[in-house]
Amino acid sequence: MFESAEIGHTLKKSAFREAEPALRRALLDVQYRLLEQNKFPVIILVNGVDGAGKGETVNLFNEWMDPRHIHTHAFGASTDAERARPEMWRFWTALPPKGNIGILFGSWYTDPILQRVLESESGAQFQLRLARIRDFERMLTAEGALIVKLWFHLSKDAQKARLNELSEKKKTAWRVTRDDWKFFKRYDDFADVGELALRETATAEAPWNIIEGSNHEYRSLTAGRLLLDALERRLKGSPQPKARAEPLPLPPVDKRDVLSTADFSRKLDHDHYQKQLDKLQGELNLLTRHKKMRDRSLVMVFEGMDAAGKGSTIRRITRAMDARFYHVVPIAAPSDEERAQPYLWRFWRHIPQRGHAVIFDRSWYGRVLVERVEKFCREEDWQRAYHEINEFEEQLAGDGAIVVKFWLAISAAEQLKRFKERAKIPHKQFKITDEDWRNRKRWPAYERAVVDMIARTSTNQAPWHLIATNDKPWARVETLKKLVETIEAQL
Amino acid sequence: MFESAEIGHTLKKSAFREAEPALRRALLDVQYRLLEQNKFPVIILVNGVDGAGKGETVNLFNEWMDPRHIHTHAFGASTDAERARPEMWRFWTALPPKGNIGILFGSWYTDPILQRVLESESGAQFQLRLARIRDFERMLTAEGALIVKLWFHLSKDAQKARLNELSEKKKTAWRVTRDDWKFFKRYDDFADVGELALRETATAEAPWNIIEGSNHEYRSLTAGRLLLDALERRLKGSPQPKARAEPLPLPPVDKRDVLSTADFSRKLDHDHYQKQLDKLQGELNLLTRHKKMRDRSLVMVFEGMDAAGKGSTIRRITRAMDARFYHVVPIAAPSDEERAQPYLWRFWRHIPQRGHAVIFDRSWYGRVLVERVEKFCREEDWQRAYHEINEFEEQLAGDGAIVVKFWLAISAAEQLKRFKERAKIPHKQFKITDEDWRNRKRWPAYERAVVDMIARTSTNQAPWHLIATNDKPWARVETLKKLVETIEAQL
């Protein structure tokens, strides 16, 4: 795979000087068109062999274009905040918004390659991480991102010569660290593992570009033209590809589903309610202060039809916890900033660090509920979301998060009763809007979406708990009970 | 994930009898439309819990529709022929052609799930196999296939009841084996592993359908309607989706590539040629009869511009081998039967069993050479082929095949000389056609395709050997030398 990048590509200084001004103008031009169109982000991944000119190229890109719209991130050793969250968190938070260019210097490839070379991970684990990366990049491109993957390569001899050259000059000697020489000794391992990484992740929608790095002029012009070509082609606007999505199952032929078979008759009288509530809140409080909780995090998701009592149930939970321990994140229509990112971005930004909890009042499930029913996104987009959501929750669970999801179910009749009550009581009128009535008309469509959601995303790692909420006291106690049980089982 | 399939779905016999005739007519109707359109195959995967009605449903599908156009395959323990080839071979050879329905009863999911439950494979290995399946199914759908995945489920209690019921009746007792009871004891393991498999492979383009299997009427009507719905929707004809494909690198700015830097000046005089040829052919012969060769296979690929000497080089190799050991497969335009299948199918059918060799005179690389240059397929199709080809060769190499690939390079001037010679010599005139002259005009486009091909598919597991063939004797000896070296290194 590296043959083409070991033949000693060079370009004369004069040829470079001649070509550079036009390239620069063209790059600046596409950058502004990108910004103006404001339709997709550009993610440039810079990886490869040390000494092959990665840093110089990143600097050059920033020099050639307007650096105000370029977000450059160098990923070194992870910070405390990063280590306290799933691996991909730091990359999610570094994604450039639409219209912008993000340069990721050292990317999601760096750690898998390093771990494999150091043999701290098996071949199967490595391949699995690569498969996950493939899915991640597929998601990014499906969301519209243009990914430009650059791999700067040097042959073994060229790397040795380069390290020697840098070491010998006083001005550049500091750039060669002991690690550089240590890694050089494992050149062949790095080449093998790197090749496998490239092979497994070179896809049609996010191909790798291998650039020979020994000659500054050749390398710079090649990288610049690659970026220009990719940007021009995308700006000319091939439309958003139409992906294939096969139909989901029809409603069951016997008309029975997890919602219609829920038992709405359960009730709890005031005395029992108060006793059990106190007991469970006490237990929850102890659990959140449990020693083992310091290495875990807690992600709670609340979804449900309007008036099912999400707010009041959440309050019964928060009252049991220290305010420094948790955050409540209410999810409404996305902000401008959030709309400029892949849809999961707005949730990644709120992922708790270990030892903390986040309660999502509505969540990423909006994609397969309201966005599906109201046609805010295309069918292929919400269809692929099931798999993406499961992967997302797997990353959370895999990093030690306890993920608990509640669907607060309410019968149609009970909802109507509550709507009418709200309309009558002055201090509750704000809670009932035209939209609520409109949503109610789509009840069957929402129910179908809920049934599909539960069938596709209720998993061992993050099961859905379906709580019948016609009787609020019973629902609150039941929710707390499930929550306490889940945390107990996991700690 | 199984919640919706454990609520005891049932349907009355009378309701089923009422609905069945219309469903049958509709299924038969879509089946004939499918056949008439002749545009895509339908692949039905039947998996799930034992006793949940998998076999009955397969029989019912064959009864409802015209079984002449249904290919039903039940995959049990693998045969000798299957064990002697990569795992996926038996599934490739079972794929239905366009216009037809294939029912795969026990599919590529069966073995991974079983191995994981029996704990003979680690969690990472299992997940990796699932990721590979996801890629495989993605390729099938990109090639146009409609995949309908059915998972028949029973709750633990329902399975126990079902097995007891079958055991008690004389007529059905034979259907319950000791294995069934042995597996039943591991119900929870199967459920956990099955859930993970479903979660990891439920994609928008090939979603899973979970069907509760305890009631014959409910299960049959549900499965029938699912199939009908999927077929009707696809026949109504959403067009072939347009996938995203980013540009490949531009030609190098210094105009130098692996082809232009090849050394065409190497020569070998007659005496040295004959001596070395004899020696190498002798070595090759011994190697093919080596004891270790019985557990390996040999896949040789020859590609090159017209008149580069593929045929004569191949003959120098075959002369060194026992005729029972090898097959030569010349690849020209695909047959009707091959056109009705995904493009890799025609190569899978020729994969050698262990202890044997196949020489491909032109190969799967046609996809990224002639099909790319002549626009016989869309850009996104040949672009995704690089990754699919690497995966294909990884499966071969992973199963013990020695994969050796030769690009026979010739200079443009030398080709012209040979064309003219052929035109002059009567017994060689058949070798030169109008097409050869036409291809020659596209020389730069072909060269670019070759350079991209080598950059993307020359891998450690299956490297490309670039042989300069302006001097035929030198080329033949060099090819034999590389071949012998590769086999020696691998044995």
Side-chain angles (χ1 to χ4, degrees):
Chain A
M1 232 158 192
F2 298 122
E3 291 90 334
S4 307
E6 296 195 348
I7 60 178
H9 284 291
T10 51
L11 193 73
K12 281 191 188 143
K13 282 206 166 62
S14 58
F16 179 72
R17 271 198 299 269
E18 213 171 287
E20 195 191 8
L23 175 63
R24 225 175 149 146
R25 267 196 309 277
L27 275 173
L28 206 54
D29 176 58
V30 291
Q31 192 192 11
Y32 286 130
R33 272 157 60 207
L34 170 73
L35 197 63
E36 206 182 2
Q37 260 201 18
N38 195 26
K39 283 207 176 131
F40 64 92
V42 178
I43 302 166
I44 303 176
L45 304 187
V46 177
N47 278 80
V49 173
D50 287 330
K54 291 177 287 187
E56 288 94 323
T57 309
V58 171
N59 287 331
L60 208 52
F61 281 169
N62 275 287
E63 197 185 309
W64 279 342
M65 293 182 283
D66 185 339
R68 290 172 302 167
H69 309 297
I70 300 180
H71 309 236
T72 304
H73 296 270
F75 295 98
S78 47
T79 64
D80 286 351
E82 289 166 348
R83 270 194 302 276
R85 294 182 174 85
E87 184 201 348
M88 292 304 283
W89 181 77
R90 60 165 164 165
F91 300 113
W92 271 94
T93 50
L95 292 178
K98 281 175 192 168
N100 283 257
I101 295 173
I103 301 181
L104 274 51
F105 184 14
S107 64
W108 40 81
Y109 288 97
T110 311
D111 187 61
I113 290 176
L114 191 62
Q115 297 309 326
R116 183 63 194 131
V117 168
L118 302 179
E119 288 184 338
S120 60
E121 282 184 354
S122 73
Q125 280 171 317
F126 178 54
Q127 291 247 20
L128 184 60
R129 285 183 83 177
L130 297 177
R132 297 237 180 284
I133 287 176
R134 215 154 57 221
D135 275 0
F136 176 63
E137 292 180 354
R138 192 168 274 131
M139 179 278 298
L140 289 176
T141 54
E143 293 275 326
L146 169 64
I147 307 180
V148 180
K149 304 198 296 204
L150 305 178
W151 184 275
F152 293 90
H153 181 74
L154 287 178
S155 68
K156 196 169 184 174
D157 288 345
Q159 193 185 15
K160 195 175 179 181
R162 177 71 180 150
L163 291 177
N164 277 327
E165 182 197 338
L166 289 172
S167 304
E168 279 158 18
K169 287 186 203 158
K170 259 194 184 160
K171 244 175 88 180
T172 54
W174 63 272
R175 285 175 56 187
V176 182
T177 63
R178 203 175 295 176
D179 266 1
D180 287 335
W181 283 112
K182 207 176 75 192
F183 286 159
F184 175 72
K185 282 195 188 135
R186 313 196 72 156
Y187 180 94
D188 295 329
D189 294 336
F190 272 104
D192 283 354
V193 171
E195 196 218 77
L196 184 56
L198 266 58
R199 187 169 92 211
E200 290 287 332
T201 57
T203 57
E205 64 272 18
W208 273 104
N209 300 287
I210 302 172
I211 301 175
E212 182 164 352
S214 44
N215 175 263
H216 165 79
E217 285 75 19
Y218 172 83
R219 176 222 306 146
S220 306
L221 199 63
T222 300
R225 287 203 176 155
L226 265 169
L227 179 60
L228 178 63
D229 186 45
L231 260 159
E232 274 186 335
R233 181 155 140 165
R234 176 62 79 84
L235 282 165
K236 243 178 256 157
S238 62
Q240 170 86 342
K242 172 137 187 54
R244 180 80 79 199
E246 295 304 329
L248 290 191
L250 301 166
V253 293
D254 62 354
K255 315 246 189 278
R256 298 174 67 228
D257 57 42
V258 286
L259 289 179
S260 68
T261 54
D263 181 0
F264 287 105
S265 66
R266 310 294 297 266
K267 270 185 200 299
L268 209 61
D269 64 44
H270 183 80
D271 279 2
H272 281 94
Y273 167 62
Q274 206 53 54
K275 245 187 238 161
Q276 290 197 37
L277 188 71
D278 288 348
K279 179 176 156 279
L280 286 163
Q281 285 182 333
E283 285 174 16
L284 178 59
N285 183 272
L286 280 177
L287 283 171
T288 61
R289 293 188 291 126
H290 194 287
K291 206 175 152 191
K292 283 192 185 157
M293 195 66 219
R294 287 180 217 159
D295 293 324
R296 305 296 296 270
S297 67
L298 183 56
V299 176
M300 289 168 269
V301 170
F302 282 86
E303 294 280 357
M305 299 283 201
D306 295 320
K310 284 193 298 294
S312 59
T313 308
I314 289 172
R315 278 196 301 280
R316 297 312 178 285
I317 290 168
T318 53
R319 274 178 205 158
M321 302 188 293
D322 187 299
R324 287 163 297 184
F325 176 70
Y326 72 88
H327 275 282
V328 179
V329 180
I331 299 295
S335 69
D336 285 352
E337 217 179 306
E338 290 169 341
R339 260 193 295 269
Q341 295 280 1
Y343 83 95
L344 278 175
W345 184 84
R346 56 193 301 223
F347 309 106
W348 269 102
R349 68 198 301 206
H350 295 297
I351 286 311
Q353 53 178 323
R354 274 181 220 114
H356 289 79
V358 167
I359 301 177
F360 287 96
D361 181 358
R362 300 198 188 278
S363 68
W364 43 94
Y365 286 98
R367 190 73 162 185
V368 295
L369 296 173
V370 58
E371 290 193 46
R372 167 185 176 177
V373 172
E374 307 293 342
K375 299 195 167 59
F376 292 157
C377 67
R378 301 177 308 165
E379 175 169 354
E380 57 259 49
D381 293 330
W382 61 257
Q383 280 242 37
R384 69 178 155 82
Y386 295 116
H387 186 245
E388 290 166 4
I389 285 173
N390 284 334
E391 289 285 310
F392 170 50
E393 293 176 358
E394 193 173 305
Q395 288 186 59
L396 298 181
D399 193 58
I402 301 165
V403 185
V404 201
K405 306 184 296 198
F406 295 100
W407 175 260
L408 303 190
I410 185 175
S411 68
E414 177 66 22
Q415 190 194 46
L416 185 65
K417 205 182 111 199
R418 290 190 190 166
F419 275 13
K420 284 184 177 161
E421 273 168 18
R422 285 180 175 185
K424 264 189 268 170
I425 304 169
H427 75 270
K428 284 196 171 171
Q429 279 168 6
F430 79 98
K431 280 176 120 183
I432 178 105
T433 65
D434 287 351
E435 209 186 311
D436 292 331
W437 291 104
R438 215 165 39 233
N439 288 347
R440 194 174 150 75
K441 279 192 192 143
R442 308 230 165 125
W443 188 276
Y446 272 102
E447 277 208 333
R448 197 174 161 197
V450 172
V451 170
D452 286 338
M453 173 186 82
I454 291 176
R456 266 141 226 283
T457 61
S458 189
T459 60
N460 292 335
Q461 68 191 358
W464 276 103
H465 299 286
L466 198 150
I467 311 280
T469 62
N470 279 18
D471 184 67
K472 283 187 176 182
W474 192 83
R476 289 169 189 166
V477 164
E478 186 68 11
T479 305
L480 267 163
K481 209 183 277 173
K482 293 282 179 209
L483 182 59
V484 165
E485 277 171 16
T486 307
I487 302 175
E488 258 175 357
Q490 292 238 10
L491 297 184
Chain B
M1 237 164 190
F2 297 123
E3 291 90 333
S4 306
E6 296 196 346
I7 59 177
H9 285 292
T10 50
L11 193 72
K12 279 191 188 146
K13 280 202 167 67
S14 57
F16 178 71
R17 272 198 301 267
E18 213 172 289
E20 196 190 9
L23 174 63
R24 225 172 149 148
R25 268 195 309 278
L27 276 172
L28 206 54
D29 176 59
V30 292
Q31 192 193 10
Y32 286 129
R33 273 158 59 207
L34 170 73
L35 198 62
E36 208 183 1
Q37 262 201 16
N38 196 25
K39 284 205 178 135
F40 63 92
V42 179
I43 302 166
I44 305 176
L45 304 186
V46 176
N47 279 79
V49 173
D50 288 328
K54 291 178 285 189
E56 288 95 322
T57 309
V58 171
N59 287 331
L60 208 53
F61 281 170
N62 275 286
E63 196 186 309
W64 279 341
M65 293 182 283
D66 185 339
R68 291 172 304 168
H69 310 297
I70 300 181
H71 308 235
T72 304
H73 297 270
F75 295 98
S78 47
T79 65
D80 286 351
E82 289 166 349
R83 269 194 303 274
R85 294 181 173 87
E87 184 203 347
M88 292 305 282
W89 182 76
R90 60 165 165 168
F91 300 114
W92 273 93
T93 50
L95 291 178
K98 281 177 193 167
N100 283 256
I101 296 173
I103 302 182
L104 274 52
F105 184 13
S107 65
W108 38 82
Y109 288 98
T110 311
D111 189 60
I113 290 176
L114 191 62
Q115 297 310 326
R116 183 62 193 132
V117 168
L118 302 178
E119 287 185 340
S120 60
E121 282 184 356
S122 73
Q125 280 171 317
F126 178 55
Q127 292 246 20
L128 183 58
R129 287 184 82 178
L130 297 177
R132 297 238 178 284
I133 287 175
R134 217 155 54 221
D135 276 0
F136 176 63
E137 293 180 353
R138 193 169 272 131
M139 180 277 298
L140 290 176
T141 54
E143 293 274 326
L146 169 64
I147 308 179
V148 180
K149 304 197 298 205
L150 305 178
W151 184 276
F152 292 90
H153 182 75
L154 286 178
S155 68
K156 196 171 185 174
D157 288 345
Q159 193 185 16
K160 195 174 180 185
R162 176 72 179 149
L163 291 176
N164 277 328
E165 183 197 339
L166 289 172
S167 305
E168 279 159 19
K169 286 186 203 159
K170 258 193 184 163
K171 245 174 88 181
T172 54
W174 62 274
R175 287 175 57 187
V176 183
T177 64
R178 205 176 293 175
D179 267 1
D180 286 336
W181 283 113
K182 207 176 74 192
F183 286 159
F184 175 70
K185 282 194 189 136
R186 311 195 73 155
Y187 179 95
D188 294 331
D189 294 336
F190 272 103
D192 282 356
V193 171
E195 195 218 76
L196 184 56
L198 266 57
R199 188 170 92 211
E200 289 288 331
T201 57
T203 57
E205 65 272 17
W208 274 105
N209 299 287
I210 303 172
I211 301 175
E212 182 164 353
S214 45
N215 176 263
H216 166 78
E217 286 74 19
Y218 172 83
R219 175 223 306 148
S220 307
L221 199 64
T222 301
R225 287 203 175 154
L226 266 168
L227 179 60
L228 178 65
D229 185 44
L231 260 161
E232 275 185 336
R233 182 154 138 166
R234 175 64 79 86
L235 282 165
K236 242 178 258 159
S238 60
Q240 171 85 345
K242 175 138 184 50
R244 178 82 76 198
E246 295 305 331
L248 290 191
L250 300 167
V253 293
D254 62 354
K255 315 251 188 272
R256 299 174 68 229
D257 56 43
V258 286
L259 289 180
S260 68
T261 54
D263 182 0
F264 287 103
S265 67
R266 309 296 296 266
K267 268 185 203 300
L268 209 60
D269 63 43
H270 183 80
D271 279 0
H272 280 94
Y273 167 62
Q274 207 53 54
K275 245 187 240 161
Q276 289 198 37
L277 188 71
D278 288 348
K279 180 175 153 279
L280 287 163
Q281 285 182 333
E283 286 175 15
L284 178 58
N285 182 270
L286 280 176
L287 284 170
T288 60
R289 293 187 292 126
H290 195 289
K291 206 176 151 191
K292 283 192 186 156
M293 195 67 220
R294 288 180 216 159
D295 294 324
R296 306 296 297 269
S297 65
L298 183 56
V299 176
M300 290 167 268
V301 170
F302 283 86
E303 293 280 358
M305 298 283 201
D306 295 320
K310 284 195 298 295
S312 59
T313 309
I314 289 171
R315 277 195 302 279
R316 298 311 180 282
I317 291 168
T318 53
R319 273 177 206 159
M321 302 189 293
D322 186 299
R324 287 162 297 184
F325 176 71
Y326 71 89
H327 274 282
V328 180
V329 180
I331 298 294
S335 68
D336 285 354
E337 218 180 306
E338 289 168 344
R339 259 194 295 270
Q341 294 282 1
Y343 83 97
L344 279 174
W345 184 84
R346 56 193 299 223
F347 309 106
W348 269 102
R349 67 196 300 203
H350 295 297
I351 287 313
Q353 52 177 324
R354 272 180 222 117
H356 288 80
V358 168
I359 301 178
F360 286 96
D361 179 358
R362 301 198 189 278
S363 68
W364 42 94
Y365 285 99
R367 189 76 163 187
V368 295
L369 296 171
V370 57
E371 290 193 47
R372 168 185 176 176
V373 173
E374 307 293 342
K375 299 196 167 59
F376 291 157
C377 67
R378 302 177 306 167
E379 175 169 355
E380 57 260 49
D381 293 329
W382 60 257
Q383 280 241 38
R384 71 180 153 81
Y386 295 116
H387 185 246
E388 290 166 2
I389 285 172
N390 284 334
E391 288 284 312
F392 170 49
E393 293 176 356
E394 191 173 308
Q395 286 186 60
L396 297 181
D399 193 58
I402 301 166
V403 185
V404 200
K405 304 183 297 196
F406 295 100
W407 176 259
L408 302 191
I410 185 174
S411 69
E414 177 64 22
Q415 188 193 47
L416 186 63
K417 205 180 109 200
R418 291 189 189 169
F419 274 13
K420 284 182 177 162
E421 273 167 17
R422 286 180 174 187
K424 265 189 266 169
I425 303 170
H427 75 270
K428 283 197 171 170
Q429 279 168 8
F430 79 96
K431 280 176 118 182
I432 177 104
T433 65
D434 289 353
E435 209 188 309
D436 292 331
W437 290 104
R438 215 167 35 233
N439 288 347
R440 194 173 150 77
K441 280 191 192 143
R442 308 230 166 124
W443 189 276
Y446 273 103
E447 278 209 333
R448 194 171 166 201
V450 173
V451 170
D452 285 340
M453 173 186 81
I454 291 176
R456 264 140 227 281
T457 62
S458 190
T459 59
N460 292 335
Q461 66 190 1
W464 276 103
H465 300 286
L466 199 149
I467 312 281
T469 64
N470 279 18
D471 183 67
K472 283 188 178 182
W474 192 83
R476 289 169 192 169
V477 163
E478 185 68 10
T479 305
L480 268 163
K481 210 181 276 172
K482 294 282 181 210
L483 182 58
V484 165
E485 277 171 18
T486 308
I487 302 175
E488 259 176 354
Q490 292 238 9
L491 297 184

